[in-house]
Every structure is written in C-alpha cells, then in structure tokens.
Amino acid sequence: MADDILFDLLHSEIINYALEQSKENGNKKEVDLSIVEYIGFAAGYKIMERLTREWPRFKDELDTMKFICTDFWTCIYKKQIDNLRTNHQGVYVLQDNGFRFLTNFSNGHQYLEFAPRFVAYTCGLIRGGLANLCINSVVTAEVQSMPSCKFHIHVQRTFALTSVWPSTGSDRSVETSCDQLCGKDPFFGEIIAAKSTSPTSTHLFKAEQFTSVQPRK
Amino acid sequence: MSRQTSRLDAKKVNSELLTLTYGALVCQMLKEQENSDDVNKQLERIGYNMGVRLIEDFLARTSSNRCLEMRETADKLQQAFRLYLNMQPTVTSWSSAGDEFSLVWDQCPLSEWVEMPNNGLKYCALIPGAIRGALQMVQLDVQCWFVQDQLKGDAVTELRVKYIKRLEDAVPAGED
C-alpha cells in the first residue's frame, strides 16, 4: 500500500506535465487543464467500480451524492465535505472548507490564480465516479478564498441512459459504459424518462432554491 | 445502519487511487506521444522530480545518517520502498567492486492491474527516476535501469543501480 505523500507528489507532477504539454502546443496564456481533468475522470471511473462493489444499492441520486460527500471524500481527502446543498433539480454544491490540495498554500490571495490547476483533477474524479454510477454530469469548481473550495455538480439528465467516455482532445477512444443494460430495462427507462421532464438550466441556480442537506455522520 | 460496517479502508483506497491515477497518466502519455521511448523519458523525469522532493520527507521521517558506502545506501533504498510502497525488494547481485547492485521484487503496487502492450514501454520508469532524483539530493550520482520486468513476462522485476560518482559541493555554474 502506497503512502499518501506519493499521491500528493504525483498529483502535482500531473499538473506539471499538463502545463508543459500546453506550452508545447503553443498556448502561452491559457493553460489546458483538460488532461488533468481527464486523468481524474479515468481514475474516478475505475476507483468507483472498486469502492461500490460491496455496497448496498443507492436509493437515489441524493444518496449517491451523500456517499461521495462522506465515504468517498474521507478516503481520499481525509475529511468529509463540510456542506452539501442541492436545488433538488440536479444541481449539487459540495463545499470543502479545507481542501487537501489547497491547504499547503498561503491563505491570502497571492496564489489564487493557480488554484484551478489544483482542483481540476478532483473535478474529473467526481465526474468519473458519477459516470460509473450512471450519472452523467458536468463538474466545475470555484475557489474564492484559499483552502476552501466549492464543487458544482450539474447532472445532465438527458444523457442519463448512456454514459459515454469523453472524447476531448486528440483521438481519445470513445467507449460506452455500464448502461446498455439499464437502457434495455423498460422499467428503468421509464423512471429516468419521468425524471427528465424538468431540464436544469443556469437560471435555476439561485441561493434561495437550495436546501441544505446534512451529510451523514 | 448496515453501511457503517462496510466502511472503506482509507489507506487502501488511497493506494488504489495512486495506482489508477498513474495508469491514467501513462495511458494519456501514450496517446499523446507515439514513441514509447519518449514516454519512458517523461516518466523517468516525473519520477526524478518526485524523488527530489521525496528525499526530504524520507530524511525527516527516518532521521537517517549519511551513507558512507553503497551497502548502506541499498539498505536505505529498501527501507524507502517499504515506507512508501509497502513492498520489500531484496538486494542482490552485488558487483565485486561493490558499486553495483540489483533490487528485485515480484509485486509492486504501481503495476497492479496492468497489461502491457508490446512496444518497449517501461511502465515503472517512475521508480528508477525517483531513485536517481532522491540520491542526487544526497550527492550521489547513480544510474538505474531495468534488467528484468514482470510486465514483460519475466519472473521478477529487477532494477539495477550503479554508482557513478560522488557529487561535490561546488559553486553553481555562472555564479563565480
């Protein structure tokens, strides 16, 4: 079993590698973090398969999110998510007040511009994990003051039946995953279809529409 | 609740995540670079960068003294493998001059769940890189390479370490 520090070091080297790649491709200003995100996705996708192997079936989406906030997060980031909020329409906000990859930075604003690099992997990790549980989503992160970080998960209901391996960048192969099986089950299909009547859009994204959900103790 | 009993083992999950993340990184590199030699070089350099920082952690944790000869260095390397990867490689095949030895292992967390394409990729190139980087920080210049690799069908993985020279303290170039 490997030590934690190796993971920390590897994480920063992956970011380093992505920076070099985007420099080589001639992007002087913009840093291409899609590689980091993708590596997170691939790792999240596979680790979720192992983690949930002997786990009872999740009741619903919220239950899945709670799993991410508690057990999943504790394993990887040594603490639970501090706050989970949702508008019950497919938008979840996970707030971590002391995010592992940001705790080593100065608390001020000095390095705030570099924060996106250190959250990209985790965005991918969450997205990959959810993709393996048949929840297709877009995960973005927001860092306002240093060690705390908010992850926004927008669940994409329209694609609920087929989760597709992303094909961003060069010629990353496209693989369909788990869900041919679910698609064939008419009952399952109906449930998803019933749910997908209210599409999520950004204007729903108002603070008063969120209700707090207590993470499981 | 039944879930409480099936808590995940954080240490194990972290280790698996490292393995999978490393695998994803290697895949990504292979997609971006056609030549697997380039990938080997990149992995080696990533390992080097990690080793340079890892040695600080190692020295802080083990409070070990300076090694006066390669046999002590070999012991320390073995200890580092145990500490960081929880594996116990054996040190064998000493050269008569005592400046060259092999680290042999048959299971490595990094190469779990790996099947290799037959294209000259050195999957674990991270490890020799890390050794080189770490030893350079304690003023030892060494060379590391794989003699045998399980992922290529050998019975064990054998890493050869060769002492080149002692690095002396010197004024950095261009600063005299």
Side-chain angles (χ1 to χ4, degrees), chain B residues 76-104:
Chain B
K76 295 282 193 254
L77 275 181
Q78 210 178 12
Q79 191 184 354
F81 269 101
R82 192 172 53 229
L83 192 59
Y84 292 114
L85 290 169
N86 195 26
M87 53 195 268
Q88 190 81 48
T90 40
V91 180
T92 53
S93 324
W94 281 93
S95 67
S96 52
D99 64 345
E100 219 180 310
F101 61 91
S102 289
L103 288 162
V104 178

PDB file of all heavy atoms in Angstrom, chain B residues 76-104:
ATOM      1  N   LYS B  76      18.961   1.665   2.813  1.00  0.00           N
ATOM      2  CA  LYS B  76      18.052   2.812   2.910  1.00  0.00           C
ATOM      3  C   LYS B  76      17.009   2.771   1.799  1.00  0.00           C
ATOM      4  O   LYS B  76      15.833   3.072   2.014  1.00  0.00           O
ATOM      5  CB  LYS B  76      18.837   4.119   2.813  1.00  0.00           C
ATOM      6  CG  LYS B  76      19.779   4.351   3.951  1.00  0.00           C
ATOM      7  CD  LYS B  76      19.051   4.840   5.196  1.00  0.00           C
ATOM      8  CE  LYS B  76      20.020   5.363   6.211  1.00  0.00           C
ATOM      9  NZ  LYS B  76      20.225   4.474   7.342  1.00  0.00           N
ATOM     10  N   LEU B  77      17.461   2.387   0.611  1.00  0.00           N
ATOM     11  CA  LEU B  77      16.523   2.288  -0.504  1.00  0.00           C
ATOM     12  C   LEU B  77      15.436   1.268  -0.189  1.00  0.00           C
ATOM     13  O   LEU B  77      14.260   1.496  -0.420  1.00  0.00           O
ATOM     14  CB  LEU B  77      17.254   1.866  -1.779  1.00  0.00           C
ATOM     15  CG  LEU B  77      17.910   2.973  -2.590  1.00  0.00           C
ATOM     16  CD1 LEU B  77      18.573   2.381  -3.820  1.00  0.00           C
ATOM     17  CD2 LEU B  77      16.878   3.999  -3.009  1.00  0.00           C
ATOM     18  N   GLN B  78      15.891   0.164   0.377  1.00  0.00           N
ATOM     19  CA  GLN B  78      14.948  -0.894   0.743  1.00  0.00           C
ATOM     20  C   GLN B  78      13.934  -0.363   1.757  1.00  0.00           C
ATOM     21  O   GLN B  78      12.738  -0.603   1.642  1.00  0.00           O
ATOM     22  CB  GLN B  78      15.749  -2.035   1.360  1.00  0.00           C
ATOM     23  CG  GLN B  78      15.144  -3.386   1.158  1.00  0.00           C
ATOM     24  CD  GLN B  78      16.035  -4.454   1.751  1.00  0.00           C
ATOM     25  OE1 GLN B  78      16.975  -4.175   2.488  1.00  0.00           O
ATOM     26  NE2 GLN B  78      15.740  -5.694   1.426  1.00  0.00           N
ATOM     27  N   GLN B  79      14.452   0.394   2.695  1.00  0.00           N
ATOM     28  CA  GLN B  79      13.588   0.979   3.721  1.00  0.00           C
ATOM     29  C   GLN B  79      12.584   1.950   3.088  1.00  0.00           C
ATOM     30  O   GLN B  79      11.404   1.978   3.457  1.00  0.00           O
ATOM     31  CB  GLN B  79      14.471   1.730   4.727  1.00  0.00           C
ATOM     32  CG  GLN B  79      13.747   2.159   5.978  1.00  0.00           C
ATOM     33  CD  GLN B  79      14.653   2.984   6.878  1.00  0.00           C
ATOM     34  OE1 GLN B  79      15.854   3.150   6.617  1.00  0.00           O
ATOM     35  NE2 GLN B  79      14.082   3.513   7.933  1.00  0.00           N
ATOM     36  N   ALA B  80      13.063   2.722   2.109  1.00  0.00           N
ATOM     37  CA  ALA B  80      12.178   3.675   1.437  1.00  0.00           C
ATOM     38  C   ALA B  80      11.060   2.954   0.688  1.00  0.00           C
ATOM     39  O   ALA B  80       9.911   3.380   0.715  1.00  0.00           O
ATOM     40  CB  ALA B  80      12.977   4.544   0.480  1.00  0.00           C
ATOM     41  N   PHE B  81      11.423   1.854   0.055  1.00  0.00           N
ATOM     42  CA  PHE B  81      10.398   1.071  -0.648  1.00  0.00           C
ATOM     43  C   PHE B  81       9.344   0.579   0.328  1.00  0.00           C
ATOM     44  O   PHE B  81       8.159   0.576   0.031  1.00  0.00           O
ATOM     45  CB  PHE B  81      11.029  -0.136  -1.354  1.00  0.00           C
ATOM     46  CG  PHE B  81      11.455   0.151  -2.759  1.00  0.00           C
ATOM     47  CD1 PHE B  81      12.783   0.403  -3.065  1.00  0.00           C
ATOM     48  CD2 PHE B  81      10.526   0.169  -3.778  1.00  0.00           C
ATOM     49  CE1 PHE B  81      13.175   0.676  -4.364  1.00  0.00           C
ATOM     50  CE2 PHE B  81      10.907   0.433  -5.083  1.00  0.00           C
ATOM     51  CZ  PHE B  81      12.239   0.692  -5.367  1.00  0.00           C
ATOM     52  N   ARG B  82       9.801   0.148   1.508  1.00  0.00           N
ATOM     53  CA  ARG B  82       8.856  -0.351   2.496  1.00  0.00           C
ATOM     54  C   ARG B  82       7.957   0.772   2.986  1.00  0.00           C
ATOM     55  O   ARG B  82       6.757   0.636   3.102  1.00  0.00           O
ATOM     56  CB  ARG B  82       9.614  -0.978   3.669  1.00  0.00           C
ATOM     57  CG  ARG B  82       8.697  -1.768   4.597  1.00  0.00           C
ATOM     58  CD  ARG B  82       9.499  -2.522   5.623  1.00  0.00           C
ATOM     59  NE  ARG B  82      10.405  -1.671   6.340  1.00  0.00           N
ATOM     60  CZ  ARG B  82      11.695  -1.945   6.529  1.00  0.00           C
ATOM     61  NH1 ARG B  82      12.219  -3.040   6.049  1.00  0.00           N
ATOM     62  NH2 ARG B  82      12.469  -1.118   7.203  1.00  0.00           N
ATOM     63  N   LEU B  83       8.580   1.921   3.210  1.00  0.00           N
ATOM     64  CA  LEU B  83       7.858   3.064   3.759  1.00  0.00           C
ATOM     65  C   LEU B  83       6.820   3.600   2.771  1.00  0.00           C
ATOM     66  O   LEU B  83       5.680   3.868   3.130  1.00  0.00           O
ATOM     67  CB  LEU B  83       8.870   4.150   4.104  1.00  0.00           C
ATOM     68  CG  LEU B  83       8.406   5.333   4.933  1.00  0.00           C
ATOM     69  CD1 LEU B  83       7.878   4.856   6.257  1.00  0.00           C
ATOM     70  CD2 LEU B  83       9.562   6.292   5.129  1.00  0.00           C
ATOM     71  N   TYR B  84       7.213   3.744   1.525  1.00  0.00           N
ATOM     72  CA  TYR B  84       6.346   4.453   0.588  1.00  0.00           C
ATOM     73  C   TYR B  84       5.450   3.538  -0.234  1.00  0.00           C
ATOM     74  O   TYR B  84       4.354   3.915  -0.601  1.00  0.00           O
ATOM     75  CB  TYR B  84       7.175   5.335  -0.339  1.00  0.00           C
ATOM     76  CG  TYR B  84       7.799   6.478   0.395  1.00  0.00           C
ATOM     77  CD1 TYR B  84       9.167   6.577   0.543  1.00  0.00           C
ATOM     78  CD2 TYR B  84       6.992   7.433   0.993  1.00  0.00           C
ATOM     79  CE1 TYR B  84       9.734   7.626   1.252  1.00  0.00           C
ATOM     80  CE2 TYR B  84       7.544   8.475   1.714  1.00  0.00           C
ATOM     81  CZ  TYR B  84       8.915   8.563   1.836  1.00  0.00           C
ATOM     82  OH  TYR B  84       9.443   9.584   2.552  1.00  0.00           O
ATOM     83  N   LEU B  85       5.930   2.369  -0.576  1.00  0.00           N
ATOM     84  CA  LEU B  85       5.112   1.499  -1.412  1.00  0.00           C
ATOM     85  C   LEU B  85       4.718   0.217  -0.699  1.00  0.00           C
ATOM     86  O   LEU B  85       4.053  -0.632  -1.276  1.00  0.00           O
ATOM     87  CB  LEU B  85       5.857   1.154  -2.704  1.00  0.00           C
ATOM     88  CG  LEU B  85       6.026   2.313  -3.697  1.00  0.00           C
ATOM     89  CD1 LEU B  85       6.979   1.935  -4.791  1.00  0.00           C
ATOM     90  CD2 LEU B  85       4.680   2.685  -4.297  1.00  0.00           C
ATOM     91  N   ASN B  86       5.147   0.086   0.545  1.00  0.00           N
ATOM     92  CA  ASN B  86       4.858  -1.108   1.330  1.00  0.00           C
ATOM     93  C   ASN B  86       5.291  -2.383   0.610  1.00  0.00           C
ATOM     94  O   ASN B  86       4.555  -3.343   0.515  1.00  0.00           O
ATOM     95  CB  ASN B  86       3.367  -1.165   1.669  1.00  0.00           C
ATOM     96  CG  ASN B  86       3.085  -2.158   2.759  1.00  0.00           C
ATOM     97  OD1 ASN B  86       3.961  -2.436   3.577  1.00  0.00           O
ATOM     98  ND2 ASN B  86       1.890  -2.702   2.781  1.00  0.00           N
ATOM     99  N   MET B  87       6.464  -2.336   0.030  1.00  0.00           N
ATOM    100  CA  MET B  87       6.989  -3.545  -0.582  1.00  0.00           C
ATOM    101  C   MET B  87       8.398  -3.788  -0.067  1.00  0.00           C
ATOM    102  O   MET B  87       9.041  -2.906   0.478  1.00  0.00           O
ATOM    103  CB  MET B  87       6.951  -3.443  -2.104  1.00  0.00           C
ATOM    104  CG  MET B  87       7.611  -2.210  -2.657  1.00  0.00           C
ATOM    105  SD  MET B  87       7.159  -1.951  -4.362  1.00  0.00           S
ATOM    106  CE  MET B  87       8.478  -2.816  -5.168  1.00  0.00           C
ATOM    107  N   GLN B  88       8.836  -5.010  -0.234  1.00  0.00           N
ATOM    108  CA  GLN B  88      10.097  -5.411   0.371  1.00  0.00           C
ATOM    109  C   GLN B  88      11.000  -6.006  -0.711  1.00  0.00           C
ATOM    110  O   GLN B  88      11.094  -7.213  -0.854  1.00  0.00           O
ATOM    111  CB  GLN B  88       9.803  -6.461   1.449  1.00  0.00           C
ATOM    112  CG  GLN B  88      10.966  -6.817   2.330  1.00  0.00           C
ATOM    113  CD  GLN B  88      11.166  -5.793   3.431  1.00  0.00           C
ATOM    114  OE1 GLN B  88      10.208  -5.417   4.098  1.00  0.00           O
ATOM    115  NE2 GLN B  88      12.382  -5.347   3.630  1.00  0.00           N
ATOM    116  N   PRO B  89      11.657  -5.160  -1.476  1.00  0.00           N
ATOM    117  CA  PRO B  89      12.526  -5.712  -2.509  1.00  0.00           C
ATOM    118  C   PRO B  89      13.792  -6.310  -1.876  1.00  0.00           C
ATOM    119  O   PRO B  89      14.220  -5.861  -0.814  1.00  0.00           O
ATOM    120  CB  PRO B  89      12.881  -4.495  -3.361  1.00  0.00           C
ATOM    121  CG  PRO B  89      12.697  -3.323  -2.479  1.00  0.00           C
ATOM    122  CD  PRO B  89      11.682  -3.696  -1.450  1.00  0.00           C
ATOM    123  N   THR B  90      14.334  -7.327  -2.498  1.00  0.00           N
ATOM    124  CA  THR B  90      15.580  -7.886  -1.987  1.00  0.00           C
ATOM    125  C   THR B  90      16.753  -7.257  -2.728  1.00  0.00           C
ATOM    126  O   THR B  90      16.666  -6.940  -3.904  1.00  0.00           O
ATOM    127  CB  THR B  90      15.634  -9.410  -2.183  1.00  0.00           C
ATOM    128  OG1 THR B  90      15.080  -9.706  -3.462  1.00  0.00           O
ATOM    129  CG2 THR B  90      14.842 -10.123  -1.130  1.00  0.00           C
ATOM    130  N   VAL B  91      17.832  -7.091  -1.987  1.00  0.00           N
ATOM    131  CA  VAL B  91      19.049  -6.539  -2.586  1.00  0.00           C
ATOM    132  C   VAL B  91      19.971  -7.687  -2.918  1.00  0.00           C
ATOM    133  O   VAL B  91      20.348  -8.452  -2.038  1.00  0.00           O
ATOM    134  CB  VAL B  91      19.740  -5.561  -1.616  1.00  0.00           C
ATOM    135  CG1 VAL B  91      20.987  -4.986  -2.242  1.00  0.00           C
ATOM    136  CG2 VAL B  91      18.784  -4.456  -1.221  1.00  0.00           C
ATOM    137  N   THR B  92      20.319  -7.839  -4.176  1.00  0.00           N
ATOM    138  CA  THR B  92      21.179  -8.968  -4.571  1.00  0.00           C
ATOM    139  C   THR B  92      22.192  -8.539  -5.625  1.00  0.00           C
ATOM    140  O   THR B  92      22.288  -7.366  -5.969  1.00  0.00           O
ATOM    141  CB  THR B  92      20.337 -10.107  -5.193  1.00  0.00           C
ATOM    142  OG1 THR B  92      19.553  -9.552  -6.237  1.00  0.00           O
ATOM    143  CG2 THR B  92      19.452 -10.782  -4.176  1.00  0.00           C
ATOM    144  N   SER B  93      22.882  -9.551  -6.113  1.00  0.00           N
ATOM    145  CA  SER B  93      23.812  -9.414  -7.245  1.00  0.00           C
ATOM    146  C   SER B  93      24.771  -8.237  -7.107  1.00  0.00           C
ATOM    147  O   SER B  93      24.849  -7.372  -7.974  1.00  0.00           O
ATOM    148  CB  SER B  93      23.062  -9.246  -8.577  1.00  0.00           C
ATOM    149  OG  SER B  93      21.903 -10.004  -8.611  1.00  0.00           O
ATOM    150  N   TRP B  94      25.483  -8.215  -5.985  1.00  0.00           N
ATOM    151  CA  TRP B  94      26.487  -7.158  -5.821  1.00  0.00           C
ATOM    152  C   TRP B  94      27.624  -7.383  -6.798  1.00  0.00           C
ATOM    153  O   TRP B  94      28.067  -8.496  -7.009  1.00  0.00           O
ATOM    154  CB  TRP B  94      27.022  -7.148  -4.398  1.00  0.00           C
ATOM    155  CG  TRP B  94      26.097  -6.475  -3.454  1.00  0.00           C
ATOM    156  CD1 TRP B  94      25.135  -7.066  -2.706  1.00  0.00           C
ATOM    157  CD2 TRP B  94      26.038  -5.077  -3.185  1.00  0.00           C
ATOM    158  NE1 TRP B  94      24.467  -6.111  -1.982  1.00  0.00           N
ATOM    159  CE2 TRP B  94      25.001  -4.890  -2.253  1.00  0.00           C
ATOM    160  CE3 TRP B  94      26.764  -3.972  -3.637  1.00  0.00           C
ATOM    161  CZ2 TRP B  94      24.674  -3.641  -1.766  1.00  0.00           C
ATOM    162  CZ3 TRP B  94      26.435  -2.723  -3.151  1.00  0.00           C
ATOM    163  CH2 TRP B  94      25.392  -2.559  -2.212  1.00  0.00           C
ATOM    164  N   SER B  95      28.103  -6.335  -7.388  1.00  0.00           N
ATOM    165  CA  SER B  95      29.302  -6.456  -8.217  1.00  0.00           C
ATOM    166  C   SER B  95      30.500  -6.570  -7.280  1.00  0.00           C
ATOM    167  O   SER B  95      30.431  -6.187  -6.119  1.00  0.00           O
ATOM    168  CB  SER B  95      29.459  -5.231  -9.114  1.00  0.00           C
ATOM    169  OG  SER B  95      29.736  -4.106  -8.315  1.00  0.00           O
ATOM    170  N   SER B  96      31.618  -7.104  -7.793  1.00  0.00           N
ATOM    171  CA  SER B  96      32.767  -7.348  -6.916  1.00  0.00           C
ATOM    172  C   SER B  96      33.328  -6.046  -6.358  1.00  0.00           C
ATOM    173  O   SER B  96      33.842  -6.000  -5.250  1.00  0.00           O
ATOM    174  CB  SER B  96      33.857  -8.121  -7.671  1.00  0.00           C
ATOM    175  OG  SER B  96      34.123  -7.443  -8.884  1.00  0.00           O
ATOM    176  N   ALA B  97      33.189  -4.966  -7.114  1.00  0.00           N
ATOM    177  CA  ALA B  97      33.703  -3.686  -6.623  1.00  0.00           C
ATOM    178  C   ALA B  97      32.752  -3.051  -5.610  1.00  0.00           C
ATOM    179  O   ALA B  97      33.088  -2.054  -4.977  1.00  0.00           O
ATOM    180  CB  ALA B  97      33.919  -2.740  -7.798  1.00  0.00           C
ATOM    181  N   GLY B  98      31.571  -3.631  -5.470  1.00  0.00           N
ATOM    182  CA  GLY B  98      30.607  -3.104  -4.514  1.00  0.00           C
ATOM    183  C   GLY B  98      29.967  -1.794  -4.944  1.00  0.00           C
ATOM    184  O   GLY B  98      29.463  -1.042  -4.122  1.00  0.00           O
ATOM    185  N   ASP B  99      29.975  -1.523  -6.229  1.00  0.00           N
ATOM    186  CA  ASP B  99      29.377  -0.264  -6.674  1.00  0.00           C
ATOM    187  C   ASP B  99      28.108  -0.470  -7.499  1.00  0.00           C
ATOM    188  O   ASP B  99      27.568   0.459  -8.056  1.00  0.00           O
ATOM    189  CB  ASP B  99      30.400   0.548  -7.485  1.00  0.00           C
ATOM    190  CG  ASP B  99      30.794  -0.169  -8.757  1.00  0.00           C
ATOM    191  OD1 ASP B  99      30.514  -1.376  -8.863  1.00  0.00           O
ATOM    192  OD2 ASP B  99      31.382   0.475  -9.648  1.00  0.00           O
ATOM    193  N   GLU B 100      27.667  -1.718  -7.552  1.00  0.00           N
ATOM    194  CA  GLU B 100      26.508  -2.001  -8.383  1.00  0.00           C
ATOM    195  C   GLU B 100      25.688  -3.090  -7.704  1.00  0.00           C
ATOM    196  O   GLU B 100      26.244  -4.069  -7.223  1.00  0.00           O
ATOM    197  CB  GLU B 100      27.014  -2.511  -9.745  1.00  0.00           C
ATOM    198  CG  GLU B 100      26.227  -2.023 -10.921  1.00  0.00           C
ATOM    199  CD  GLU B 100      26.799  -2.569 -12.227  1.00  0.00           C
ATOM    200  OE1 GLU B 100      28.020  -2.460 -12.427  1.00  0.00           O
ATOM    201  OE2 GLU B 100      26.016  -3.120 -13.012  1.00  0.00           O
ATOM    202  N   PHE B 101      24.381  -2.898  -7.639  1.00  0.00           N
ATOM    203  CA  PHE B 101      23.537  -3.942  -7.052  1.00  0.00           C
ATOM    204  C   PHE B 101      22.170  -3.957  -7.722  1.00  0.00           C
ATOM    205  O   PHE B 101      21.828  -3.056  -8.485  1.00  0.00           O
ATOM    206  CB  PHE B 101      23.397  -3.743  -5.540  1.00  0.00           C
ATOM    207  CG  PHE B 101      22.752  -2.440  -5.155  1.00  0.00           C
ATOM    208  CD1 PHE B 101      21.386  -2.346  -4.979  1.00  0.00           C
ATOM    209  CD2 PHE B 101      23.532  -1.307  -4.966  1.00  0.00           C
ATOM    210  CE1 PHE B 101      20.792  -1.135  -4.626  1.00  0.00           C
ATOM    211  CE2 PHE B 101      22.951  -0.102  -4.614  1.00  0.00           C
ATOM    212  CZ  PHE B 101      21.581  -0.013  -4.444  1.00  0.00           C
ATOM    213  N   SER B 102      21.425  -5.016  -7.428  1.00  0.00           N
ATOM    214  CA  SER B 102      20.088  -5.143  -8.004  1.00  0.00           C
ATOM    215  C   SER B 102      19.039  -5.105  -6.910  1.00  0.00           C
ATOM    216  O   SER B 102      19.242  -5.642  -5.823  1.00  0.00           O
ATOM    217  CB  SER B 102      19.945  -6.465  -8.741  1.00  0.00           C
ATOM    218  OG  SER B 102      20.704  -6.444  -9.909  1.00  0.00           O
ATOM    219  N   LEU B 103      17.930  -4.469  -7.213  1.00  0.00           N
ATOM    220  CA  LEU B 103      16.754  -4.551  -6.352  1.00  0.00           C
ATOM    221  C   LEU B 103      15.764  -5.450  -7.073  1.00  0.00           C
ATOM    222  O   LEU B 103      15.434  -5.205  -8.225  1.00  0.00           O
ATOM    223  CB  LEU B 103      16.159  -3.167  -6.150  1.00  0.00           C
ATOM    224  CG  LEU B 103      16.931  -2.207  -5.257  1.00  0.00           C
ATOM    225  CD1 LEU B 103      16.479  -0.780  -5.496  1.00  0.00           C
ATOM    226  CD2 LEU B 103      16.727  -2.571  -3.788  1.00  0.00           C
ATOM    227  N   VAL B 104      15.334  -6.506  -6.378  1.00  0.00           N
ATOM    228  CA  VAL B 104      14.436  -7.453  -7.032  1.00  0.00           C
ATOM    229  C   VAL B 104      13.116  -7.497  -6.286  1.00  0.00           C
ATOM    230  O   VAL B 104      13.095  -7.587  -5.065  1.00  0.00           O
ATOM    231  CB  VAL B 104      15.072  -8.862  -7.046  1.00  0.00           C
ATOM    232  CG1 VAL B 104      14.116  -9.860  -7.675  1.00  0.00           C
ATOM    233  CG2 VAL B 104      16.377  -8.839  -7.814  1.00  0.00           C
TER     234      VAL B 104
END
